[in-house]
Amino acid sequence: MSVRLCVFLGSIAAAALGLSSPVCAQLGDEPLKLADSQLEPVKWGDVEGWAGDDHLAAFTAFQASCQTFRNAKPDDDRPIYNALREVCRRAAAARPTNKEAARRFFEDNFRPVQITRLGEAQGFLTGYYEPIVEGSRFPNPEFHVPLYRRPHDLVAAGYKPGSGDFPNKGALIGHRNENGEIVPYHDRGAIEAGALDGQKLEICWLRDPFEALAIQIQGSARVILEDGTPLRVNYDSHNGYPYTAVGRVLIERNLVPREEMSMQRIRDWMAANPDEAPKVRATNRSYVFFRVSGLSNEGEPVGAQGVPLIPGRSIAVDKIHVYGTPFFIDASLPIESAKPNTPFRRLMIAQDTGSAIVGPARADLYWGAGDDAARIAGRIRHPGRFVMLLPRELDMIEAGKHMPLPVAKPNIPEAEVKKEEGKSKQQASQRVPLPVAKPNIPEAEVKKEEGKPKQQAGKTEEKSRVKKLRRQVGTVRWRPRS
């Protein structure tokens, strides 16, 4: 689907077109193509909270993303990708040393564009973090929940092993049957019941089924093994089923009140209901597989872009966006408490993705590792305003040229205009029927005609009087005189 571009015209242009609202048009391939999106250019002064942010911290995160543009050959033909490469080239020479200089860099190289899904006013935010859990290399009564690597028989349509990252979405994923057709893979319920046993896919073993679920939701983890070795695992692939939020299932079944919902609340419910918990987890048929990314406890996990995530500056977005794109997020979030009363106005960089992150104005905010980050991330499910920073190489005025405009009025000389106006009046006078003229009647005739009704009325009254008299005195007979 083409992007719907909404551009606010100047007052003169709007008046000329008879418009008082954004002009919207369906664009083709150039210069932008974002599915199901609505874009509205705004001014920097209208981006609430923009001036108060720490743009130097955002610039550091942006520079990290730029490394992928500088070190890799162009493998993306989207206009935004190529434009970001140019901005990154200038960022290498900019080297701002304070917030103000970093802010000027972003304002000089980008244009702010509010982005939403078509027909919606705001986007939607969630939070994620890196769990830190204990685990074991071998199964035992304490650690008995496996964390799996990608199965050998998991395939995706059009994907060749070794050709790059396994498709996250947008491809048919499953396993091949005896006819070579791709059919659905084992879902969560089947895998938790042992469908992958005996294939030697276990990376490690965890203590709690909820911990395995949480790691799959977050996409990475630090597993502290029995000898103290930190095993870093990261998202690799999934079984092809759409993600279903377990928290929503608990709310719909009236098992947890909506206002109490959080990751900790889900954990508490599952611990208190061990027999029902597998059935609730099975409602989320999606299952995630991992790869080992390191044996260090230092640094942050690597996102899908291939750079370490930065707490409070990295976001996961839908893959319709280009990694490295800056987004300014404006929302009220439950950061300091469970109530969403903390203003969050911050420039974030798209550096990750996830199978549950779907839509043009949808983001997962990365908060870091550990319990504190988990508490904040687990509370966030809130709306927010998304302002995408579009590289100036992509001219919104050029995009506006694709809008259908009214047919231009022909240039007619003044004499011709008057002549045509005269013809129009003459034709109009000929077409309009006039009322029939009133006949010219002499005054005497008028009086005569006016008297007739009165005379007729008098005769009628006389007849009525005679009939009444006859009823009273009978028939009158006349005799001649003698």
Side-chain angles (χ1 to χ4, degrees):
M1 181 182 294
S2 301
V3 61
R4 184 188 183 196
L5 174 66
C6 295
V7 181
F8 278 103
L9 301 176
S11 57
I12 296 177
L17 296 178
L19 302 171
S20 59
S21 59
V23 176
C24 301
Q26 296 294 328
L27 300 184
D29 294 333
E30 296 292 345
L32 301 171
K33 190 174 183 180
L34 297 174
D36 196 23
S37 302
Q38 179 171 297
L39 304 177
E40 180 184 316
V42 295
K43 298 179 179 179
W44 290 114
D46 295 332
V47 181
E48 189 171 358
W50 169 257
D53 190 22
D54 184 356
H55 295 86
L56 187 59
F59 184 84
T60 301
F62 180 69
Q63 278 280 47
S65 287
C66 283
Q67 295 298 326
T68 63
F69 289 92
R70 301 189 190 107
N71 300 334
K73 294 180 180 180
D75 59 353
D76 194 326
D77 59 358
R78 286 178 291 180
I80 293 181
Y81 181 90
N82 296 321
L84 280 173
R85 285 178 64 89
E86 292 300 313
V87 177
C88 285
R89 181 179 57 81
R90 294 191 291 271
R95 299 178 183 177
T97 58
N98 54 57
K99 295 188 294 184
E100 289 72 20
R103 174 185 167 188
R104 286 195 299 272
F105 173 84
F106 286 113
E107 292 179 354
D108 290 343
N109 289 276
F110 293 93
R111 287 184 175 89
V113 180
Q114 183 166 320
I115 182 170
T116 59
R117 187 189 293 272
L118 280 173
E120 297 182 1
Q122 296 188 83
F124 189 69
L125 300 167
T126 51
Y128 73 117
Y129 67 102
E130 185 183 29
I132 301 177
V133 301
E134 294 181 343
S136 173
R137 289 186 177 89
F138 307 100
N140 56 58
E142 183 179 5
F143 298 99
H144 58 278
V145 180
L147 201 63
Y148 290 117
R149 62 175 53 87
R150 187 198 310 172
H152 304 295
D153 61 342
L154 185 70
V155 298
Y159 171 78
K160 296 180 180 179
S163 62
D165 292 338
F166 195 84
N168 182 42
K169 53 192 167 187
L172 178 62
I173 298 174
H175 67 94
R176 296 191 182 278
N177 61 14
E178 60 276 7
N179 297 323
E181 301 169 332
I182 298 179
V183 296
Y185 202 72
H186 308 296
D187 65 4
R188 176 176 297 277
I191 293 174
E192 288 195 0
L196 300 181
D197 287 356
Q199 299 188 33
K200 299 182 179 180
L201 300 172
E202 296 87 357
I203 295 175
C204 61
W205 302 81
L206 307 178
R207 178 185 289 114
D208 187 349
F210 174 82
E211 291 179 341
L213 175 64
I215 293 172
Q216 293 184 38
I217 293 174
Q218 306 308 319
S220 64
R222 304 181 196 185
V223 182
I224 310 302
L225 300 175
E226 56 266 68
D227 61 356
T229 301
L231 181 67
R232 305 294 287 268
V233 295
N234 213 346
Y235 174 94
D236 179 80
S237 55
H238 72 103
N239 63 344
Y241 290 93
Y243 171 83
T244 299
V246 172
R248 185 170 69 244
V249 174
L250 292 174
I251 292 172
E252 292 174 349
R253 296 184 180 182
N254 297 317
L255 299 174
V256 176
R258 182 181 299 275
E259 60 275 11
E260 297 181 9
M261 182 51 61
S262 68
M263 287 295 289
Q264 184 60 45
R265 190 67 177 84
I266 296 174
R267 181 172 195 158
D268 294 342
W269 184 90
M270 288 189 177
N273 300 271
D275 295 333
E276 294 297 318
K279 299 177 184 177
V280 172
R281 290 196 301 271
T283 60
N284 176 25
R285 303 184 71 185
S286 176
Y287 198 92
V288 173
F289 306 105
F290 294 89
R291 55 181 171 81
V292 176
S293 59
L295 297 173
S296 171
N297 206 22
E298 302 297 325
E300 299 294 334
V302 175
Q305 191 186 10
V307 300
L309 302 176
I310 299 178
R313 291 292 171 180
S314 298
I315 55 174
V317 296
D318 192 312
K319 291 191 73 173
I320 62 172
H321 294 297
V322 176
Y323 294 135
T325 301
F327 288 84
F328 190 82
I329 306 296
D330 177 12
S332 294
L333 301 178
I335 298 174
E336 298 178 358
S337 67
K339 296 182 179 180
N341 52 17
T342 303
F344 185 89
R345 292 163 183 159
R346 196 175 297 181
L347 185 58
M348 314 288 284
I349 310 299
Q351 297 176 326
D352 203 1
T353 191
S355 59
I357 311 302
V358 179
R362 174 74 174 88
D364 221 3
L365 312 178
Y366 178 67
W367 292 97
D371 294 339
D372 291 340
R375 278 190 288 272
I376 296 174
R379 293 194 293 250
I380 297 177
R381 292 187 60 81
H382 295 78
R385 182 189 185 195
F386 284 62
V387 175
M388 180 174 65
L389 271 59
L390 190 69
R392 287 187 177 270
E393 278 77 5
L394 297 179
D395 192 348
M396 296 299 288
I397 302 302
E398 180 65 24
K401 292 181 181 178
H402 292 261
M403 292 186 301
L405 296 176
V407 178
K409 184 178 179 180
N411 186 14
I412 305 174
E414 184 177 356
E416 293 293 330
V417 172
K418 291 183 178 179
K419 184 178 179 180
E420 291 297 325
E421 289 178 351
K423 288 183 179 180
S424 299
K425 291 180 180 179
Q426 183 179 0
Q427 292 172 353
S429 64
Q430 293 175 353
R431 288 194 300 267
V432 178
L434 297 176
V436 179
K438 185 177 181 180
N440 186 12
I441 304 175
E443 185 178 354
E445 292 294 330
V446 172
K447 290 182 178 179
K448 182 178 179 181
E449 291 296 326
E450 289 178 349
K452 285 182 178 180
K454 293 181 180 180
Q455 184 178 2
Q456 292 174 354
K459 289 182 178 180
T460 302
E461 292 176 359
E462 178 66 17
K463 288 181 180 180
S464 299
R465 189 181 65 80
V466 171
K467 288 182 179 180
K468 183 177 180 181
L469 180 62
R470 284 178 178 174
R471 285 196 297 271
Q472 293 175 351
V473 301
T475 302
V476 179
R477 296 180 182 274
W478 295 92
R479 294 181 181 180
R481 289 181 181 182
S482 55

